[in-house]
Amino acid sequence: QVQLVESGGGSVQAGGSLRLACTVSGKTYRRACMAWWRQTPGNERDWVAAIWTEGESTYYAESVKGRFTISHDSAKNTVYLQMTSLKPEDTAMYFCAADFNGQVVAGSWYEIHFDTWGKGTQVTVSS
């Protein structure tokens, strides 16, 4: 059974940094689209960043561009989200998602195109 397990969330002051990790287990893959999404209570889940594991093209939401970096370590089957210059508005539950079936089209980020999701890790940024 394929699983995505997130780690690295926590509490930090504004301006600080955190690195999230998402490890894939139960599946061997070469090409996938891995992404991070985030959600605050009462709101829809928002796409944050994505990377294609083959070629390593990366994409970012405007709200995090220049502050967040997504990367992938194929040897560890792990995708990372390095978050710097954190702001209180970055506070959310962060979810890792994977498209192993080639459904995602760059620039069109829909939850339904991601076939596997993690359970999330909380990030809290205080002012």
Side-chain angles (χ1 to χ4, degrees), residues 63-93:
S63 59
V64 306
K65 199 172 290 185
R67 300 188 297 121
F68 291 11
T69 302
I70 190 170
S71 61
H72 179 255
D73 186 333
S74 57
K76 296 182 178 180
N77 281 359
T78 299
V79 62
Y80 300 97
L81 186 68
Q82 179 68 51
M83 305 185 294
T84 63
S85 301
L86 281 161
K87 305 175 181 180
E89 50 264 43
D90 294 318
T91 295
M93 182 72 78

Side-chain angles (χ1 to χ4, degrees), residues 2-19:
V2 183
Q3 283 190 315
L4 305 181
V5 179
E6 302 100 333
S7 61
S11 297
V12 65
Q13 288 193 324
S17 300
L18 283 174
R19 189 177 80 155

Side-chain angles (χ1 to χ4, degrees), residues 19 21-22 38-39 43 46 48-50 66 69-70 74 82 89-90 95-96 104 106 115 123-124:
R19 189 177 80 155
C22 170
R38 65 186 182 187
Q39 185 175 30
N43 293 309
D46 293 325
V48 174
T69 302
I70 190 170
S74 57
Q82 179 68 51
E89 50 264 43
D90 294 318
F95 296 90
C96 177
V104 173
D115 47 75
V123 170
T124 302

